[in-house]
Amino acid sequence: MLKGRNLIDPMDFTIEELVEIFDYAEEIIENPKKFSHVCDGKLLATLFYEPSTRTRLSFEAAMLRLGGEVLGFSEANSSSVAKGESIADTIRTVGCYADIAVMRHPKEGAPRVAAMNSNIPVINAGDGGHQHPTQTLTDLLTIRSVKKELSNLTIGLCGDLKFGRTVHSLIKALSRYENNKFVLISPNELKIPDYIRKVVLEKNNIEYVEVQRLDEVMESLDILYMTRVQRERFFNEEDYIRLKDSYILNAEKMKKAKKDMIVLHPLPRVNEIDYEVDKDERAYYFKQAKYGMYVRMALMAKLLGVDEEC
C-alpha cells in the first residue's frame, strides 16, 4: 500500500511499487472518465518556491481531472516565506487545509524537511540540482509504454549532466533495471557529478561511457534524453562556441539513429532540439509531457488511498 507515503527520491519506491503506479496510470490513459471522480473532495496544495510551467500545471491538471481541487502559490514572494516562515511551519499549516502537497524548492533537501514535519503526503517536484522524482516517473512510464520494458537499453543523456536534476534522477532509477548501459554526452565542464558516477554507476558495475560529441554515438542509442546546455555554465566563451553545436539535435543527426530510437526531453527546450525534429515519429517529448500528467494522477491517487474506489 502506498497510502500516506511521501515521494522525495526516485528510490523511495520499490520496483514492484513503481509497476503498481505505472499499471494504474495506463488504466487511466485507457479510460480517463472512469477515474474522473476518485479525488472528489480532496485538495492538493502546490508549494512552488521557484518558477515552473509544466510540472506545476501537470500536477494541477492531474488533480482536477481526478475530481479534486487545488490551492497554493507559484513563487516564494507570494507566500509567508517572504516573512521568514520556515518550511516546517509552512507544511504544518498547509496540512490543516489540504490532503496532499507538492513542493518545488531551490534548496536541495527542502522537500525532505517538509515531509519530516508533515501529516499529509509530500511529493518532491524538484529540489535545486538534486532530484526530480515525478519527472523520473514520467520518463519511466514513457519508456515502458514505447519500449515495453525498462531493461536491456542503451540510454544516451546529452547536455548539462552536472546540474540537470532530471538526469541524476533518471540514471538512479534506470540503474535498478538489468543490463542498461549509459552514454553520457557532455562538455567537460558539465560532466556527470562524481557521486552519480561513483555511488550509482561504478558501485553497481553499470556500463557507461563519457563522450563529448553527440553524432559519434547516435547509432548505438535506444533512447536519447536531451537537456539544455547553458552558456553561463562554461568557464569561457571560446569553449562554449566550440562545443555548442555538438548538442543541437537536428534532422541530419537523426539520420544516424536507429529507426526505433526515441527522443525524450524534460522541457522546456531552447535550441538543443531543432524544430524540424518535431516532425520525426521518434520525437516523444510532447507525448512525454502528457504522460507526466497521467503518472501524477496515478501517484496522487495511490498516496491518497483512493485508487481502489473505482
Side-chain angles (χ1 to χ4, degrees):
M1 285 288 291
L2 292 169
K3 182 178 181 180
R5 299 266 295 276
N6 304 303
L7 176 60
I8 306 301
D9 185 287
M11 310 298 273
D12 285 346
F13 297 155
T14 65
I15 288 177
E16 292 74 23
E17 288 168 338
L18 291 177
V19 169
E20 184 182 333
I21 293 169
F22 298 150
D23 286 347
Y24 194 70
E26 290 186 344
E27 286 184 47
I28 296 172
I29 292 169
E30 289 296 316
N31 187 6
K33 288 185 178 179
K34 178 182 176 183
F35 301 88
S36 61
H37 292 286
V38 297
C39 281
D40 281 358
K42 300 295 184 182
L43 275 173
L44 165 68
T46 54
L47 314 179
F48 279 71
Y49 290 80
E50 63 178 8
S52 169
T53 301
R54 270 146 296 275
T55 303
R56 182 172 60 85
L57 292 182
S58 67
F59 267 109
E60 292 181 0
M63 179 53 85
L64 293 171
R65 287 182 180 275
L66 291 171
E69 297 186 58
V70 180
L71 72 165
F73 54 84
S74 57
E75 57 180 32
N77 288 337
S78 63
S79 74
S80 288
V81 70
K83 303 175 184 177
E85 184 175 57
S86 68
I87 289 172
D89 282 359
T90 296
I91 197 66
R92 287 191 186 108
T93 303
V94 168
C96 297
Y97 312 136
D99 302 288
I100 188 168
V102 55
M103 174 182 284
R104 169 167 288 188
H105 203 285
K107 291 185 179 179
E108 298 178 4
R112 188 172 296 282
V113 172
M116 292 168 61
N117 291 278
S118 178
N119 64 338
I120 60 173
V122 174
I123 301 170
N124 178 6
D127 58 333
H130 192 222
Q131 303 286 353
H132 195 347
T134 61
Q135 180 63 51
T136 303
L137 296 190
T138 298
D139 301 338
L140 295 180
L141 177 63
T142 307
I143 294 168
R144 194 183 87 150
S145 297
V146 179
K147 294 293 186 181
K148 308 305 179 189
E149 64 175 345
L150 291 167
S151 304
N152 306 305
L153 299 167
T154 298
I155 305 104
L157 300 120
C158 179
D160 183 353
L161 308 189
K162 183 176 183 179
F163 300 100
R165 58 191 171 199
T166 60
V167 169
H168 304 165
S169 292
L170 186 58
I171 291 175
K172 288 177 72 173
L174 283 173
S175 294
R176 304 167 81 181
Y177 298 88
E178 292 183 357
N179 200 33
N180 283 333
K181 304 172 185 177
F182 294 95
V183 180
L184 308 175
I185 310 150
S186 72
N188 283 328
E189 293 87 345
L190 298 176
K191 290 172 72 171
I192 206 78
D194 280 346
Y195 85 92
I196 295 289
R197 184 184 297 104
K198 294 176 180 177
V199 177
V200 179
L201 297 173
E202 293 176 0
K203 184 179 179 180
N204 295 296
N205 297 314
I206 295 167
E207 186 176 339
Y208 75 95
V209 294
E210 294 182 278
V211 300
Q212 285 200 14
R213 300 192 66 86
L214 173 59
D215 49 4
E216 293 175 2
V217 296
M218 281 291 290
E219 60 189 18
S220 68
L221 305 178
D222 298 308
I223 296 160
L224 174 59
Y225 197 93
M226 295 293 296
T227 66
R228 288 176 290 148
V229 173
Q230 301 167 66
R231 174 178 271 155
E232 62 268 26
R233 300 298 194 190
F234 285 81
F235 293 114
N236 64 72
E237 185 76 4
E238 288 181 4
D239 284 342
Y240 174 75
I241 293 170
R242 175 174 56 85
L243 290 168
K244 66 183 178 68
D245 291 341
S246 297
Y247 308 105
I248 297 176
L249 182 64
N250 54 28
E252 191 63 30
K253 288 187 176 78
M254 287 295 289
K255 290 178 182 177
K256 298 182 179 181
K258 296 177 181 179
K259 291 184 178 179
D260 63 346
M261 184 200 78
I262 62 170
V263 182
L264 302 179
H265 191 307
L267 300 176
R269 69 171 161 188
V270 181
N271 68 337
E272 61 277 6
I273 299 179
D274 195 293
Y275 284 97
E276 64 187 359
V277 176
D278 296 355
K279 303 171 186 175
D280 195 306
E281 61 183 10
R282 295 168 291 182
Y284 266 81
Y285 28 91
F286 289 112
K287 295 175 186 174
Q288 178 186 1
K290 192 158 190 177
Y291 279 124
M293 180 185 69
Y294 290 124
V295 83
R296 289 174 176 112
M297 290 172 74
L299 173 65
M300 289 192 291
K302 290 285 181 181
L303 299 186
L304 287 168
V306 299
D307 54 299
E308 302 297 332
E309 296 178 12
C310 50

